[in-house]
């Protein structure tokens, strides 16, 4: 079920924009009301410009919370993300949040969290890692990309890398790295996997978790409009606990879901 939380729509000042690669920036927003209640896995929906276009807001995972400040990690792929990355310090944007479900870290049945991410899917992992570490959990990051230049891991610790071309770390994809390191990881105690990245990667992680009976949450991506369950733009078919399939709105019952619900 959707989580109950205080969702606010506030005009937030861009405090800093830090470019960390040719296409990725970390944007810091002064957002006390959202920072106070955000949980790892939640996202915000941002009106990137006061102009009429782009009309729809753009969703971004909460990358980090530092007091009243909220960091988002944005990959510039189109009009909205380019506008946001190029917005000057001191300018303001409308920020709606915190939205969506969060990673389930309430479960005491795991000792070690394995954070599996690909590409811009590392965005929610810093906030998740910090929250898990504060709970005394051991955290290991497995991070994948096509090549060395695609690996993004700002602030993350205990990282192991997988690249398709073998230019850094394990040669292969991040799910293959998860498979290769599973026996060693299992020596760290009971595991739970938390994954974010392209949907095909998440399906592979979900298949892996199912085959190896490892608990797993995945944070899905979809094109999204309103972020509050009105436009139905983000509907996704998942398994129903009672059998068969059902449609959920990712902005309401996602983006984070139990991997067991994913149709793989
Ligand atoms: C819950 C959620 C959390 C997200 N978190 C982050 C994040 O932390 N950092 C980040 O950089 N991005 C994140 N995204 C993706 C981000 O919202 C899109 O990249 C952004 O909306 C694209 O806007 P644009 O105007 O730049 O692109 P557009 O000009 O609208 O489109 C450019 C191209 O990107 C494609 N595209 C548009 N939206 C998406 C999408 N959601 N997924 C894949 N392709 C898309 C379009 O089909 C088109 O080919 C998230 C998406 C969701 C649903």
């Amino acid at each position: 079920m959707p989580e109950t939380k205080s969702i606010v729509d506030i005009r937030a000042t861009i405090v800093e924009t830090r470019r960390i690669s040719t296409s990725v920036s970390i944007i810091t927003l002064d957002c006390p009301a959202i920072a106070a209640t955000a949980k790892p896995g939640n996202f915000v929906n941002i009106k990137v410009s006061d102009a009429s276009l782009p009309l729809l807001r753009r969703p971004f995972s909460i990358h980090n919370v530092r007091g009243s400040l909220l960091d988002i990690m944005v990959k510039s792929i189109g009009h909205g993300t380019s506008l946001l990355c190029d917005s000057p310090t001191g300018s303001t944007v409308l920020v709606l949040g915190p939205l969506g479900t969060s990673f389930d870290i309430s479960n005491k049945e795991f000792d070690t969290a394995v954070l599996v991410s690909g590409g811009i899917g590392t965005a929610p992992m810093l906030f998740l890692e910090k929250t898990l570490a504060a709970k005394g959990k051991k955290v290991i990051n497995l991070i994948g990309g096509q090549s060395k230049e695609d690996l993004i891991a700002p602030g993350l610790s205990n990282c192991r890398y997988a690249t398709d071309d073998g230019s850094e770390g394990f040669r292969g994809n991040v799910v293959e790295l998860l498979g290769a390191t599973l026996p060693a990881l299992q020596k760290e105690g009971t595991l739970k996997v938390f994954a974010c990245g392209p949907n095909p990667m998440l399906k592979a992680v979900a298949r892996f978790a199912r085959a190896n009976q490892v608990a797993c949450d995945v944070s899905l991506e979809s094109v999204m409009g309103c972020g509050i369950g009105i436009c139905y733009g983000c509907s996704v078919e998942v398994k129903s606990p009672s059998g068969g399939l059902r449609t959920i709105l990712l902005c309401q019952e996602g983006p984070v879901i139990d991997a067991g619900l994913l149709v793989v």
Side-chain angles (χ1 to χ4, degrees), residues 44-245:
V44 287
N45 214 11
I46 299 185
K47 179 86 174 80
V48 298
S49 161
D50 288 338
S52 51
L53 291 176
L55 181 65
L56 295 175
R57 292 177 185 236
R58 300 294 192 258
F60 301 98
S61 301
I62 295 174
H63 171 60
N64 198 11
V65 172
R66 298 178 286 140
S68 67
L69 302 178
L70 205 78
D71 291 332
I72 53 170
M73 192 163 96
V74 180
K75 181 165 185 167
S76 186
I77 61 160
H79 187 205
T81 45
S82 303
L83 274 175
L84 189 55
C85 289
D86 293 341
S87 296
T89 301
S91 61
T92 62
V93 284
L94 279 172
V95 183
L96 179 71
L99 298 170
T101 53
S102 56
F103 290 109
D104 182 5
I105 54 175
S106 62
N107 183 349
K108 295 194 171 44
E109 302 301 312
F110 67 96
D111 312 302
T112 301
V114 185
L115 279 46
V116 179
S117 55
I120 195 68
T122 49
M125 296 311 188
L126 182 58
F127 188 21
L128 177 60
E129 175 183 312
K130 282 174 49 179
T131 309
L132 285 162
K135 284 175 166 278
K137 302 286 186 189
K138 181 163 186 188
V139 179
I140 295 164
N141 278 284
L142 304 184
I143 299 164
Q146 286 180 343
S147 85
K148 192 177 177 175
E149 295 72 40
D150 303 312
L151 299 171
I152 324 166
L156 295 176
S157 55
N158 213 356
C159 299
R160 297 168 200 179
Y161 300 103
T163 50
D164 296 344
D165 63 4
S167 53
E168 179 79 39
F170 177 86
R171 180 188 287 272
N173 68 44
V174 74
V175 188
E176 290 165 343
L177 173 61
L178 175 62
T181 47
L182 187 71
L185 293 173
Q186 280 174 326
K187 289 189 186 137
E188 311 279 349
T190 312
L191 306 178
K192 179 165 183 181
V193 171
F194 300 88
C196 184
N199 287 346
M201 177 201 118
L202 297 180
K203 288 191 175 197
V205 174
R207 279 194 295 272
F208 178 90
R210 215 169 285 172
N212 292 280
Q213 296 182 318
V214 177
C216 179
D217 284 354
V218 291
S219 179
L220 299 173
E221 262 219 12
S222 74
V223 172
M224 200 174 272
C226 69
I228 51 172
I230 295 170
C231 75
Y232 281 67
C234 61
S235 56
V236 174
E237 223 166 47
V238 297
K239 287 185 184 170
S240 166
S242 55
L245 299 176

